[in-house]
Amino acid sequence: MPIVPNTGSMVISAVKAELAAYYTPPAIATVLTDWAVTSTECSVFDPSFGGCAFIYGALASLQRLGASRPGQQIYGVDIDGDAQQHLKPVLDAGGSLSQFPVADFFSLPRNRPPWTEFDAIVGNPPYIRHHSLSHQQRDAAVKAVESIGAKLSGRSS
């Protein structure tokens, strides 16, 4: 049975627009996940899973490759609590809600498993204008980027 992601409503609410919740078409997500997911052991992360197009693409890629419990290999985070309502196919394939916290990506504990390493990172992170970010969000982003030895300008989005 093909997995059909929720691509969201054609009418984007003000809250969804504030969260930059514009979803990737399933066909594009499928092509990208097929390219990124290369083995049955591949672990996959989507830093902003939203309507689950990349999550479903990763699930389908792992299933085509023959992974026995593909849901256990897929992780994601989203700041929108409504995003978890789309996870049933992944949960049915062995996944757990604990693999998909409702949180800001920058709040994840990157120094503790399972948030330390992934074989593939797929997704379409939201574009949020720098002046729309709170001071806490900007500070968290700068800290995360500096932890890998890079720098962001004050106007980075």
Side-chain angles (χ1 to χ4, degrees):
M1 166 170 48
I3 299 167
V4 179
N6 174 356
T7 55
S9 168
M10 294 302 286
V11 177
I12 302 295
S13 71
V15 171
K16 297 292 185 191
E18 183 178 321
L19 293 173
Y22 302 96
Y23 298 115
T24 303
I28 293 172
T30 298
V31 168
L32 292 171
T33 54
D34 279 347
W35 171 81
V37 177
T38 58
S39 76
T40 58
E41 293 83 34
C42 194
S43 61
V44 184
F45 177 68
D46 184 342
S48 183
F49 67 86
C52 291
F54 286 94
I55 296 292
Y56 294 163
L59 180 61
S61 296
L62 287 165
Q63 288 171 331
R64 276 193 295 279
L65 290 168
S68 60
R69 302 276 296 163
Q72 294 176 356
Q73 297 166 237
I74 303 170
Y75 297 81
V77 62
D78 203 282
I79 202 163
D80 182 3
D82 291 342
Q84 285 187 325
Q85 71 183 337
H86 307 296
L87 292 170
K88 185 173 179 350
V90 180
L91 302 178
D92 290 347
S96 162
L97 277 179
S98 66
Q99 295 167 229
F100 302 92
V102 174
D104 184 327
F105 168 77
F106 292 113
S107 72
L108 293 178
R110 286 175 294 283
N111 59 347
R112 292 196 314 261
W115 310 112
T116 55
E117 278 189 38
F118 296 97
D119 299 308
I121 298 174
V122 297
N124 187 9
Y127 171 81
I128 302 172
R129 297 176 185 275
H130 71 278
H131 63 273
S132 298
L133 297 171
S134 71
H135 290 294
Q136 293 150 324
Q137 289 172 316
R138 277 192 293 263
D139 290 347
V142 167
K143 213 179 267 187
V145 169
E146 286 176 349
S147 75
I148 61 167
K151 284 195 147 227
L152 289 177
S153 79
R155 297 187 51 84
S156 296
S157 299

